[in-house]
Amino acid sequence: MIPVRRFDAIVVGAGGSGMRAALELARADLKVAVLSKVFPTRSHTVAAQGGIAAPLANSTEDNWHWHMYDTVKGSDYLGDQDAIEYMCRRANEVVVELEHMGMPFDRLENGKIYQRPFGGHTQDYGSSKMAMRSCAAADRTGHAMLHTLYQQNVRMNTQFFVEWMALDIIRDPQDGAVLGVTALEMETGEVFILQAKATLFATGGAGRIFYASTNAFINTGDGIGMAARAGFPLEDMEFWQFHPTGVYGAGVLITEGVRGEGGFLVNKDGERFMERYAPNAKDLASRDVVSRAMTTEIKEGRGCGPHADHVLLKLSHIKPEDIMQRLPGIREISIKFANADPIRDPIPVVPTVHYQMGGIPAKYTGHVVIPEGNNTDSIVPGFYAVGECACVSVHGANRLGTNSLLDLVVFGKSAGEQVIKDIKALPSPHRTLPKGAGDSTRARLARLDANAAGERVVDVLTDLRRAMQAHCGVFRFPDDLLKGVEKIKEIADRAQRTFIQDKSKVFNTARVEALELDNLIEAAMATIVSAEARKESRGAQARADFPDRDDKNWMKHTLWYKEGNRLSYKPVHLKPLTVDSFEPKVRTY
Amino acid sequence: MKISIYRYDPDKDEKPYMKEYDVELQHSDHMLLDALVRVKDMDDSFAFRRSCREGVCGSDAMNINGKNGLACVTKIADLKEPVMLRPLPGLPVIRDLIVDMTQFFKQYHSIKPYVINHDAPPERERLQSPAEREQLNGLYECILCACCSTACPSFWWNPDKFVGPAGLLQAYRFIADTRDQETAARLDNLEDPYRLFRCHSIMNCVDVCPKNLNPTQAIGKIKELMVRRMV
Ligand SMILES: Cc1cc2nc3c(=O)[nH]c(=O)nc-3n(C[C@H](O)[C@H](O)[C@H](O)COP(=O)(O)OP(=O)(O)OC[C@H]3O[C@@H](n4cnc5c(N)ncnc54)[C@H](O)[C@@H]3O)c2cc1C
Ligand code: SF4
Ligand code: SF4
Ligand code: FES
């Protein structure tokens, strides 16, 4: 028998969203466990650079209606407008709270939080005037935010389970409710069942399914893999954001804040080509638009370098003092990873996979929702998801920069509030665990313990990432997608036969990587199957054979199920909570 | 590339040993972390921590040719071969390059690492001038990698009593924050023969910090404040 430990609530993930939720839970008198594969401040939120959106109007006139419009438009009208309204209305509140917690935002002369412009954030419903909406702590906003949230959790005595990896979800066969997870204590190799009345996933994205990625090693989509294996659908997984400025060859991110501070892109002729693609917003057009423009420049032979395979990001016209004050981290990264000091030299960049717009279908309350009968959004008892692993869906087909950090704190907080409410309404004893709880986890581990030969984890992983890169990139071609689906299926088969040499109990990172591979496979399969099926171009999905958005047939969310590789669809929530809908329009910048 | 790595798995090894690897580098491998990933491809039993691969998460601190640093921002070209890799000194080894950081974080927690302000929070942000905010530069950027504290002889001898450079840097970060109201209590908390005063300004910490922070200077400033409040 696997030993069982019981809590009122467990939070899986201690990035920005998990720690914001944990902080809310700490205010109630509940027994809470927060699990993380890594020490909390090592979560990938720490790498966020450019800022967090809030219409504080510290430098330019602004309000949540404009922010909402930009977010709906940025999403290419696939975002749910009720959730978007909810997020934009709570933005000022949650950002001011972060400040009160001690987050070291940069400041304006009058002492207020410093704000910079960011792509797709405008004034007056998409006018050519940019809104200064991104609240920044130099170019280390994620670091400042994550450490602040950790510090507040230390203050509130949150119970962290550090270097514990959740492996599988346990459900009640009666009504499908989530009863907790199985988890591996990495230091000892022991496996436990952690049972709870509320299980909140905040496990981040799966950006490592692509070969060139701005994402950390640990971003392996564990939450979505676990959800898929437990029978939950994944929503809108075809939509992956390619960030325009990953360092060429290294993948490390250069924040869009660089362009917010005045930097711009040039091709091999030194031309500022974004003026042709987006006459108004230029380099601050939405990310999907800029990434496609760059890819087109490169494809048409105007790329830079000996292989004409990247473009250059210029900021040498910005005052060195400003670079040093506002972009010190970027300068450090550029010198280390590109051998270029941006004060003098341009930075070589390419579009690089960055952010997962899709995920576990959830509501703005954090509740995970699935179709049941006529109800497309039926609440799953005991299961919540927030942050990059969730699809709420505020980002739709394309996320605006700085809206993710915002999403983490808004929905981290709202989910925390909801969990408290839900737990209070439940009877006090825990449900009985079903017979065989944890068996599937045991089987996965037993296979890795037993297999002495088979596929090497690193080989399968490398092939997976290369296949996704080749078949599901910035521009998507029908044949590539079809072949890609077949390839990923083959690779998924091979992943069933992986083996590891290391059989030790103690901190076995080979085992961890093998278990992570299972999750990456689910994320990749969901992505490519959903992408192949969607016969239109919208936001981050750009198909060569269907170059236009098709609202009549495709203004709907994809739901992918692991079982049978099945797809279904559900309508977009076009109706906001209190204001009028934003009707779909052609999207230009 | 030749790398010699400290290996120890308490599950099977009686004692630690150094293991040699000859790594074939690819042209895209620039940083030591890239080489370690290749080692792991050859020998999956080699255990180390890593995540962001860009020097912001603090996972992959280790002792590299005798000096603490982050593998992900250490250029291979700058290293003398064979590269000798050992776990951070002074902390218990869990396995290979993975150390038990409990004591390090305990010290960090002991300085109350959060802004304390007893006034009711205003409707909007608390104001802070750019000059006041500037005081936090060189302090808040710490990534808790422990390179500094595990290079500090005073921390090696008294990890349970001496806060260590990382913790003290953060102690000063909160003293320096105009929004914090607990300077006096923070100084009281450090007024002790060990917690602060075990620092003998040897500067090892400054020498190794991968974020170019200066704990010695922060420690000096705390000492100055203590002297100032005595007179
Ligand atoms: C380089 C970079 C820069 C960015 N800059 C910005 C920006 O300026 N503004 C913005 O809005 N957005 C930005 N983003 C996006 C944003 O940072 C991320 O979307 C966001 O931080 C994700 O936060 P999260 O809380 O969902 O997950 P993460 O911060 O990724 O945390 C995931 C957590 O889950 C834990 N976990 C995962 N799997 C398991 C498991 N199996 N068991 C236990 N624990 C597990 C991890 O240990 C970790 O604690 C950036 C992203 C990148 C990659
Ligand atoms: S200066 Fe002080 S804290 Fe830094 S290494 Fe020396 S003794 Fe340790
Ligand atoms: S002060 Fe520097 S060396 Fe010490 S923990 Fe912080 S970042 Fe690491
Ligand atoms: S891997 Fe994050 S600091 Fe090196």
Side-chain angles (χ1 to χ4, degrees):
Chain A
M1 268 301 285
I2 305 181
V4 181
R5 297 174 71 165
R6 290 197 177 79
F7 302 89
D8 291 311
I10 52 178
V11 178
V12 184
S17 61
M19 285 213 281
R20 184 61 190 83
L23 203 52
E24 210 53 41
L25 294 172
R27 298 181 208 283
D29 187 22
L30 294 175
K31 191 173 171 207
V32 180
V34 182
L35 271 63
S36 177
K37 283 202 285 194
V38 294
F39 184 78
T41 62
R42 321 229 186 275
S43 304
H44 200 52
T45 298
V46 80
Q49 300 174 351
I52 175 166
L56 291 171
N58 286 352
S59 288
T60 53
E61 200 186 317
D62 206 358
N63 61 63
W64 66 261
H65 299 273
W66 296 352
H67 185 194
M68 178 179 171
Y69 170 82
D70 291 336
T71 305
V72 172
K73 177 181 172 189
S75 81
D76 219 350
Y77 300 93
L78 193 71
D80 286 336
Q81 297 197 16
D82 49 353
I84 295 176
E85 177 182 336
Y86 187 90
M87 178 176 83
C88 296
R89 283 176 65 170
R90 282 194 97 170
N92 285 352
E93 164 200 333
V94 293
V95 169
V96 166
E97 268 172 9
L98 285 171
E99 193 285 325
H100 292 161
M101 290 175 196
M103 181 163 162
F105 284 108
D106 285 5
R107 300 291 171 151
L108 296 164
E109 282 308 321
N110 63 12
K112 293 184 180 175
I113 293 173
Y114 170 78
Q115 298 189 279
R116 60 165 59 111
F118 239 77
H121 291 280
T122 69
Q123 293 186 65
D124 204 14
Y125 306 104
S127 81
S128 60
K129 278 186 296 183
M130 301 303 287
M132 293 174 84
R133 189 178 288 150
S134 166
C135 310
D139 51 5
R140 304 188 178 99
T141 312
H143 171 281
M145 182 173 118
L146 191 69
H147 280 258
T148 302
L149 288 170
Y150 177 67
Q151 291 157 359
Q152 289 298 315
N153 273 291
V154 169
R155 178 182 203 169
M156 302 298 283
N157 288 317
T158 296
Q159 193 184 1
F160 286 106
F161 285 62
V162 176
E163 294 176 331
W164 279 61
M165 181 183 182
L167 300 178
D168 287 292
I169 294 172
I170 297 171
R171 294 181 76 174
D172 190 330
Q174 297 295 320
D175 61 351
V178 167
L179 305 179
V181 293
T182 51
L184 170 75
E185 183 182 23
M186 283 152 70
E187 183 175 337
T188 60
E190 310 269 338
V191 175
F192 295 84
I193 288 175
L194 304 183
Q195 188 181 0
K197 295 172 188 166
T199 301
L200 192 156
F201 271 23
T203 49
R208 299 296 290 190
I209 60 172
F210 287 88
Y211 200 74
S213 171
T214 65
N215 280 211
F217 280 96
I218 61 168
N219 287 15
T220 52
D222 295 0
I224 59 176
M226 287 186 263
R229 279 194 299 278
F232 293 105
L234 300 179
E235 180 175 346
D236 291 343
M237 286 297 291
E238 61 270 47
F239 297 103
W240 279 90
Q241 178 162 80
F242 288 79
H243 194 292
T245 55
V247 172
Y248 171 69
V252 178
L253 182 81
I254 301 291
T255 174
E256 187 172 308
V258 167
R259 283 169 285 139
E261 298 287 345
F264 55 81
L265 297 162
V266 297
N267 61 19
K268 78 163 197 271
D269 305 321
E271 183 205 5
R272 186 173 179 187
F273 59 86
M274 279 314 298
E275 289 176 339
R276 264 189 283 125
Y277 295 87
N280 286 321
K282 302 189 181 98
D283 296 84
L284 286 180
S286 218
R287 288 181 179 168
D288 54 335
V289 174
V290 181
S291 285
R292 277 196 291 276
M294 292 167 70
T295 309
T296 305
E297 288 299 297
I298 292 169
K299 243 201 321 240
E300 294 181 353
R302 292 186 294 280
C304 306
H307 305 291
D309 55 356
H310 59 271
V311 300
L312 296 173
L313 175 61
K314 249 184 83 134
L315 49 162
S316 53
H317 55 288
I318 304 176
K319 282 201 290 245
E321 310 87 270
D322 288 351
I323 293 183
M324 257 126 52
Q325 189 189 354
R326 301 286 180 217
L327 305 166
I330 286 310
R331 181 165 180 242
E332 194 182 317
I333 285 177
S334 177
I335 291 173
K336 284 200 176 112
F337 289 93
N339 243 325
D341 182 346
I343 289 181
R344 292 187 316 265
D345 320 314
I347 313 174
V349 291
V350 280
T352 307
V353 132
H354 183 58
Y355 184 84
Q356 163 194 314
M357 264 80 71
I360 304 169
K363 257 179 69 157
Y364 55 83
T365 52
H367 281 131
V368 172
V369 288
I370 55 171
E372 221 167 45
N374 289 332
N375 183 0
T376 50
D377 296 310
S378 164
I379 290 173
V380 179
F383 196 20
Y384 307 77
V386 290
E388 195 170 331
C389 73
C391 182
V392 175
S393 137
V394 282
H395 309 303
N398 172 66
R399 169 179 76 92
L400 294 186
T402 69
N403 263 355
S404 171
L405 291 187
L406 177 62
D407 142 4
L408 307 184
V409 275
V410 168
F411 299 118
K413 182 173 184 184
S414 67
E417 292 167 344
Q418 188 65 42
V419 166
I420 295 172
K421 243 189 269 170
D422 290 352
I423 289 183
K424 287 211 173 115
L426 287 174
S428 79
H430 285 76
R431 296 195 194 188
T432 332
L433 287 171
K435 266 230 294 285
D439 280 358
S440 60
T441 297
R442 266 210 294 225
R444 288 172 73 203
L445 292 170
R447 177 174 72 79
L448 288 174
D449 279 342
N451 281 8
E455 293 277 355
R456 279 157 38 94
V457 173
V458 35
D459 296 339
V460 180
L461 176 63
T462 307
D463 290 348
L464 176 79
R465 298 176 65 205
R466 283 195 195 282
M468 289 304 289
Q469 193 79 23
H471 293 271
C472 212
V474 173
F475 285 105
R476 295 173 177 175
F477 302 90
D479 297 353
D480 277 355
L481 286 167
L482 274 171
K483 270 187 230 144
V485 171
E486 291 315 308
K487 259 200 191 160
I488 300 298
K489 281 184 184 161
E490 274 165 39
I491 293 171
D493 272 347
R494 288 168 58 200
Q496 299 289 317
R497 300 190 298 272
T498 50
F499 82 108
I500 49 176
Q501 245 139 18
D502 187 357
K503 308 289 185 195
S504 170
K505 295 277 277 176
V506 181
F507 225 114
N508 187 330
T509 50
R511 177 184 290 148
V512 168
E513 288 178 24
L515 294 164
E516 286 174 338
L517 177 65
D518 294 343
N519 299 319
L520 286 162
I521 295 274
E522 306 302 350
M525 186 70 88
T527 299
I528 197 139
V529 170
S530 306
E532 196 282 320
R534 182 176 284 271
K535 305 285 190 296
E536 68 157 350
S537 292
R538 180 187 297 270
Q541 155 113 334
R543 282 188 68 129
D545 49 345
F546 296 95
D548 298 315
R549 195 175 80 200
D550 175 358
D551 289 336
K552 197 162 138 268
N553 296 304
W554 287 101
M555 200 196 284
K556 54 189 181 186
H557 295 294
T558 307
L559 293 173
W560 171 85
Y561 292 82
K562 174 178 165 63
E563 199 186 7
N565 238 329
R566 177 166 67 86
L567 293 172
S568 73
Y569 293 89
K570 68 173 184 178
V572 175
H573 297 192
L574 292 172
K575 209 173 147 23
L577 297 170
T578 64
V579 292
D580 288 341
S581 302
F582 290 108
E583 297 300 329
K585 284 194 294 200
V586 179
R587 195 161 146 261
T588 54
Y589 283 97
Chain B
M1 175 186 186
K2 294 214 177 345
I3 312 184
S4 180
I5 304 180
Y6 176 103
R7 299 296 311 270
Y8 175 61
D9 175 359
D11 227 16
K12 63 180 186 35
D13 302 326
E14 241 160 66
K15 56 180 201 303
Y17 60 99
M18 296 299 287
K19 186 163 176 185
E20 313 270 328
Y21 294 92
D22 199 349
V23 190
E24 203 177 311
L25 294 178
Q26 308 287 317
H27 72 101
S28 58
D29 296 339
H30 299 296
M31 299 295 178
L32 178 59
L33 179 60
D34 301 326
L36 295 186
V37 170
R38 301 264 172 234
V39 171
K40 185 142 183 87
D41 290 353
M42 300 172 1
D43 176 357
D44 72 8
S45 72
F46 163 46
F48 63 106
R49 294 186 176 106
R50 85 282 179 268
S51 181
C52 71
R53 56 88 174 87
E54 58 183 71
V56 293
C57 78
S59 294
D60 59 344
M62 56 188 70
N63 188 270
I64 307 162
N65 281 345
K67 191 173 165 187
N68 293 350
L70 300 174
C72 62
V73 289
T74 300
K75 288 210 168 107
I76 294 172
D78 296 343
L79 293 172
K80 206 177 98 227
E81 290 186 36
V83 180
M84 303 293 279
L85 296 183
R86 295 173 189 279
L88 288 177
L91 295 176
V93 174
I94 296 174
R95 175 174 176 178
D96 299 344
L97 298 184
I98 297 178
V99 290
D100 180 349
M101 304 205 23
T102 311
Q103 200 55 257
F104 173 79
F105 290 123
K106 241 192 200 150
Q107 291 297 0
Y108 172 57
H109 296 161
S110 80
I111 60 101
K112 298 200 175 170
Y114 36 83
V115 165
I116 302 175
N117 185 310
H118 303 289
D119 301 338
E123 185 89 346
R124 288 286 302 252
E125 64 261 54
R126 294 198 161 99
L127 300 181
Q128 200 171 44
S129 72
E132 288 168 342
R133 166 60 182 78
E134 175 93 28
Q135 300 301 307
L136 305 181
N137 284 350
L139 305 170
Y140 84 94
E141 302 93 325
C142 172
I143 58 173
L144 299 177
C145 66
C147 282
C148 57
S149 295
T150 59
C152 169
S154 302
F155 190 76
W156 294 339
W157 306 138
N158 294 293
D160 52 335
K161 296 195 197 111
F162 173 51
V163 172
L168 290 169
L169 184 84
Q170 290 315 298
Y172 186 65
R173 179 245 174 275
F174 291 98
I175 290 172
D177 197 319
T178 50
R179 296 168 295 180
D180 187 88
Q181 299 174 328
E182 290 286 298
T183 297
R186 291 183 188 281
L187 293 178
D188 291 347
N189 175 291
L190 297 172
E191 189 99 67
D192 165 295
Y194 282 95
R195 287 180 61 71
L196 172 74
F197 289 102
R198 277 286 132 163
C199 168
H200 302 304
S201 310
I202 316 168
M203 303 265 285
N204 284 8
C205 51
V206 183
D207 207 33
V208 296
C209 174
K211 303 310 278 181
N212 295 317
L213 308 179
N214 191 330
T216 315
Q217 192 177 41
I219 292 167
K221 286 191 177 157
I222 300 176
K223 286 183 179 165
E224 223 175 275
L225 286 173
M226 285 192 175
V227 173
R228 227 187 293 156
R229 75 167 181 175
M230 289 205 322
V231 293

